[in-house]
Amino acid sequence: MFDWKDEYSCGIERIDDEHKRLFEIGNSIYELATNENRVDYFDDILNLIDDLKEYTIYHFEDEEKIMEMYDYPGYREQKRVHDKFIEKIRNLDLEEIDEDTQQAVLKLLDFVYNWIRTHILGMDLKIKDYFESLKSGKFMEKKAR
Ligand SMILES: [Fe+2]
């Protein structure tokens, strides 16, 4: 479900690796939710959802650190969007998951997958452009000397 595509790469290895890890956790949740041999998997699903929450928080912090370090102009907007997403996944309705686990989990994954994809393509890739402009700027500086 969470298929990684090269177009998601923002050229910064550390961020790409973290995005890939998020995709992996998403896939593990999907596999568990759709595995027909599973019996009672409510607790396992909750644990994986916790992993997803924790890793997302870790990743956003890391990404924000990198943006701050390089004076990325879109930092504030990114942080605002990150915070909103964290608030959303922190306030998940676990009762809904208990009632009809598979349906609720698939709905959640659908939301998370679309959010991450759109976020990477719409916002994180701009970090790539910025880094590239920094690199070419440095190159010009050297050339001018
Ligand atoms: Fe981001």
Side-chain angles (χ1 to χ4, degrees):
M1 175 183 190
F2 284 66
D3 292 322
W4 177 264
K5 295 189 186 118
D6 284 340
E7 64 185 276
Y8 301 147
S9 169
C10 67
I12 302 154
E13 213 184 331
R14 183 152 149 189
I15 295 182
D16 284 346
D17 286 346
E18 290 177 8
H19 284 155
K20 284 179 191 163
R21 175 80 193 118
L22 279 176
F23 275 51
E24 263 173 39
I25 300 173
N27 272 328
S28 313
I29 301 176
Y30 181 76
E31 273 159 28
L32 184 58
T34 53
N35 179 348
E36 280 167 17
N37 300 318
R38 57 173 160 58
V39 193
D40 183 10
Y41 66 117
F42 184 62
D43 287 342
D44 291 339
I45 282 281
L46 289 192
N47 283 335
L48 281 172
I49 291 175
D50 266 347
D51 288 350
L52 185 73
K53 280 188 212 172
E54 272 166 37
Y55 197 78
T56 304
I57 293 170
Y58 162 78
H59 160 62
F60 284 172
E61 277 175 5
D62 208 38
E63 204 179 81
E64 287 159 13
K65 243 187 266 163
I66 295 173
M67 287 188 267
E68 262 192 311
M69 216 150 66
Y70 291 91
D71 286 324
Y72 177 62
Y75 167 78
R76 276 173 161 271
E77 177 63 7
Q78 271 265 19
K79 171 124 180 60
R80 194 185 60 81
V81 171
H82 285 169
D83 288 349
K84 229 176 123 189
F85 183 73
I86 289 174
E87 200 190 299
K88 184 130 190 178
I89 56 170
R90 268 204 179 124
N91 296 320
L92 284 179
D93 185 0
L94 296 179
E95 255 169 56
E96 193 191 345
I97 294 182
D98 197 16
E99 274 163 27
D100 183 347
T101 309
Q102 190 184 50
Q103 206 206 342
V105 169
L106 292 181
K107 199 173 109 188
L108 167 71
L109 288 178
D110 200 50
F111 164 73
V112 171
Y113 178 60
N114 281 315
W115 192 94
I116 294 181
R117 258 189 71 239
T118 315
H119 180 72
I120 292 178
L121 292 174
M123 295 195 93
D124 292 343
L125 286 191
K126 287 186 185 151
I127 306 174
K128 177 183 182 173
D129 295 342
Y130 178 68
F131 269 62
E132 270 163 15
S133 74
L134 281 184
K135 270 188 222 156
S136 60
K138 270 182 193 149
F139 178 66
M140 296 297 282
E141 244 174 54
K142 266 188 195 160
K143 251 183 126 184
R145 260 183 233 153

